[in-house]
Amino acid sequence: MKHTDIYEVLRDKTLLGKSVTVCGWVRTFRDSAQVAFLELADGTSFARLQVVIDKNALSPDAECLKNGAAVCVRGEVVKAFKGEGHELNAAEVSLLGKCPPEYPIQKKRTTLEFLRTVPHLRLRTNTFTAAFRVRSVAAQAIHRYFHERRYYYINTPLITASDCEGAGEMFRVTTQPFNAKYPSEAEYYKNDFFGKKAGLSVSGQLEGEVAATAFSKIYTFGPSFRAENSNTTKHLAEFWHIEPEVAFADLADVMELAEEMIKYIISAVLTECADEIDFFDKFMEKGLKEKLLHVVNSDFAVCDYTQAVELLQQSGAQFQYPVSWGCDLQTEHERYLTETVFKKPVFVTNYPKEIKSFYMKQNPDGKTVAATDLLVPGIGEIIGGSQREEDYEKLLSAMNARGMDKSAYEQYLDLRIFGSVPHGGFGLGFERLVMYMTGIENIRDVTLFPRSVGNIM
Ligand code: 4AD
Ligand code: MG
């Protein structure tokens, strides 16, 4: 169908006085004896197009004047009665698809909780149109950021036999029904599709390291899966994961990369999604724009884990989980550090080795690893990263200490035998970044069809 995007119609000055055809869904309408106004959205722009229908000249199908109806309008582009933009004086209005009154998207029923029950329709609301445009612009910015800096974009397998994080949070991939006749787990998997136990990858890092030790700079951008039984506002069973991996790099290089990348993405969103950010600033998080500008224009804080524990212990704050050296930081601790102590994004570094993954570079103190988490206000952790252990013996001993099955990691260990180099990287949770940039508080509202414990709508 030949038609013009509403984005163009609203902005393109050369269209003034010209006849165009637009297609979209009716968001609101006002009807009177003489004239009817339709607000039309086609998703190409956050602002909608006002269509003016002179009822003395036109008598459109009554179904066109209904909330949610899909219509096609030919008309003349004129200066808007109010404001800077353009509107359309209709010459012909035709119905593409009617929308009965049971349509769940009604002005008075727009709570996020309700809209979660209609994931197939909620994208037609302002909040979701805006959130998903931010998500799309951010994704493009991420690819641009890495591409401009000569990082190779690689795609790592989603089905894997190794558990990168070693946390036992893998979904199993199988074609076999349960069958009690097998005497052991190993026998059972031997008869399965791959001949051994397989699952959905929790991270592309291990394969990312393979690529980084050939190309020096790589990144992945794909889904990761976690069978975590965490029913929180920031956990999904399926999320999108950005994982750069860099050879000839130490922890400081990894942190520098993370900070520069986050600032680049936020700047792109501030420029390309100005309307959306204004909307979220008004309706979702007061001061959002100011916050994002501040993030772009100031340095992130850095805090050693040991110092973070002291700060938390001395804070006098009441935490549900007590803090002592060696404990994993809970979201409440992370948020206290970034919201109350530093009031901006903060890298926490050098965590105790027992609470972090096997692959992290062991520090000379024998107690900590060269790891970092980036914490941001409102959420807590959005990035987890580290320098990697490049020494074969040390890596092996970390795996032994965890009782890991080394047969699944032989190739990974080989990287430490053949031309091993200092290297590191991080993982950014894409949905958490979108939450941070929009002020949306629940990860289910920045995901098209969120998957979480007990929920696969
Ligand atoms: O901290 P994580 O588990 O680190 C890794 O997976 C490393 N292999 C990354 C690397 O060094 N290449 O996960 C990284 C990030 C987290 O900081 C968080 O933002 C996000 O992934 N994430 C989740 N997002 C949504 N739902 C979940 N269940 C998530 N689990 C992790
Ligand atoms: Mg983590």
Side-chain angles (χ1 to χ4, degrees):
M1 282 170 80
K2 229 180 160 47
H3 68 284
T4 309
D5 286 346
I6 286 178
Y7 179 89
E8 304 292 340
V9 176
L10 287 170
R11 282 171 185 75
D12 186 349
K13 296 214 166 21
T14 67
L15 291 177
L16 273 174
K18 301 231 168 80
S19 172
V20 299
T21 300
V22 298
C23 300
W25 295 269
V26 175
R27 283 281 179 90
T28 61
F29 65 94
R30 274 178 294 137
D31 198 7
S32 69
Q34 304 290 327
V35 62
F37 299 96
L38 293 185
E39 286 220 355
L40 215 58
D42 68 357
T44 60
S45 128
F46 183 69
R48 308 127 169 210
L49 177 67
Q50 167 138 293
V51 175
V52 185
I53 303 170
D54 176 356
K55 290 177 78 177
N56 296 317
L58 285 178
S59 45
D61 186 331
E63 292 294 339
C64 290
L65 306 183
K66 294 208 170 139
N67 176 31
V71 300
C72 181
V73 183
R74 183 171 59 78
E76 186 195 345
V77 182
V78 297
K79 276 214 157 72
F81 189 66
K82 275 192 289 185
E84 302 274 288
H86 302 160
E87 57 188 38
L88 200 65
N89 278 341
E92 189 183 341
V93 181
S94 47
L95 182 70
L96 297 174
K98 66 178 178 184
C99 186
E102 305 85 80
Y103 184 45
I105 308 299
Q106 301 289 338
K107 254 218 161 108
K108 44 188 192 309
R109 298 189 71 186
T110 50
T111 66
L112 294 173
E113 290 75 15
F114 168 72
L115 291 171
R116 248 169 255 149
T117 68
V118 284
H120 57 308
L121 296 171
R122 65 177 178 168
L123 300 181
R124 300 184 203 173
T125 62
N126 282 339
T127 303
F128 287 90
T129 305
F132 282 81
R133 186 164 307 104
V134 168
R135 191 175 163 132
S136 171
V137 165
Q140 298 288 352
I142 288 165
H143 284 298
R144 214 163 52 234
Y145 174 83
F146 287 118
H147 181 67
E148 284 168 356
R149 287 159 185 76
R150 308 190 71 82
Y151 283 70
Y152 276 56
Y153 171 44
I154 60 154
N155 306 120
T156 53
L158 300 187
I159 302 177
T160 176
S162 58
D163 178 358
C164 171
E165 291 307 302
E169 288 165 348
M170 286 227 294
F171 285 102
R172 222 196 289 154
V173 173
T174 177
T175 50
Q176 299 206 96
F178 173 74
N179 189 328
K181 81 173 188 238
Y182 296 109
S184 69
E185 251 199 324
E187 290 286 313
Y188 173 74
Y189 292 122
K190 217 153 107 197
N191 284 283
D192 205 345
F193 188 90
F194 297 105
K196 57 172 150 174
K197 190 173 180 176
L200 293 178
S201 181
V202 299
S203 159
Q205 179 198 322
L206 303 189
E207 295 85 357
E209 287 184 49
V210 168
T213 48
F215 301 122
S216 294
K217 299 190 284 188
I218 65 93
Y219 72 104
T220 72
F221 191 160
S224 284
F225 305 88
R226 303 269 166 115
E228 265 172 297
N229 199 358
S230 305
N231 216 343
T232 76
T233 53
K234 62 175 201 180
H235 286 92
L236 289 172
E238 177 181 299
F239 69 97
W240 281 67
H241 208 172
I242 297 111
E243 299 188 270
E245 191 69 33
V246 189
F248 319 111
D250 59 18
L251 184 65
D253 297 318
V254 169
M255 288 157 61
E256 196 180 308
L257 172 65
E259 179 166 347
E260 194 191 52
M261 182 199 66
I262 294 282
K263 288 179 175 175
Y264 182 97
I265 304 166
I266 293 178
S267 298
V269 165
L270 282 167
T271 312
E272 294 173 53
C273 299
D275 288 351
E276 288 79 4
I277 295 301
D278 284 343
F279 169 81
F280 287 124
D281 194 311
K282 208 159 158 196
F283 296 110
M284 204 58 75
E285 180 184 334
K286 295 262 176 296
L288 173 72
K289 190 170 170 179
E290 192 63 36
K291 170 186 94 174
L292 295 176
L293 283 167
H294 182 66
V295 170
V296 170
N297 294 317
S298 61
D299 293 336
F300 292 4
V302 181
C303 173
D304 202 84
Y305 168 88
T306 302
Q307 186 198 349
V309 168
E310 285 165 12
L311 286 167
L312 291 166
Q313 284 174 331
Q314 290 156 10
S315 69
Q318 288 296 316
F319 296 116
Q320 193 188 339
Y321 296 90
V323 184
S324 60
W325 200 96
C327 77
D328 206 356
L329 298 183
Q330 303 293 327
T331 299
E332 57 174 348
H333 308 135
E334 294 177 343
R335 290 189 57 174
Y336 184 86
L337 289 169
T338 176
E339 288 165 20
T340 308
V341 181
F342 294 99
K343 300 185 170 62
K344 58 176 172 177
V346 53
F347 287 109
V348 176
T349 58
N350 301 315
Y351 286 79
K353 63 180 183 194
E354 285 79 14
I355 58 169
K356 287 292 184 187
S357 302
F358 73 96
Y359 53 70
M360 292 182 176
K361 170 99 181 152
Q362 295 160 38
N363 284 330
D365 64 11
K367 293 190 295 190
T368 61
V369 284
T372 188
D373 279 3
L374 178 66
L375 317 179
V376 300
I379 300 171
E381 177 190 344
I382 62 166
I383 279 180
S386 73
Q387 189 175 334
R388 319 304 186 192
E389 184 53 76
E390 84 267 25
D391 181 276
Y392 179 86
E393 294 299 335
K394 286 186 183 160
L395 182 59
L396 202 62
S397 75
M399 294 174 75
N400 286 333
R402 288 166 175 78
M404 290 169 65
D405 168 16
K406 286 182 292 294
S407 68
Y409 300 87
E410 271 167 17
Q411 296 174 347
Y412 186 70
L413 283 160
D414 266 0
L415 301 182
R416 277 73 182 167
I417 296 176
F418 305 115
S420 188
V421 295
H423 65 287
F426 63 81
L428 164 67
F430 189 43
E431 288 80 7
R432 291 193 188 173
L433 177 67
V434 176
M435 289 166 72
Y436 184 57
M437 293 191 297
T438 57
I440 291 177
E441 288 176 350
N442 194 318
I443 199 164
R444 292 166 182 79
D445 298 330
V446 296
T447 310
L448 201 52
F449 285 94
R451 274 84 173 84
S452 54
V453 197
N455 174 22
I456 187 156
M457 249 178 120

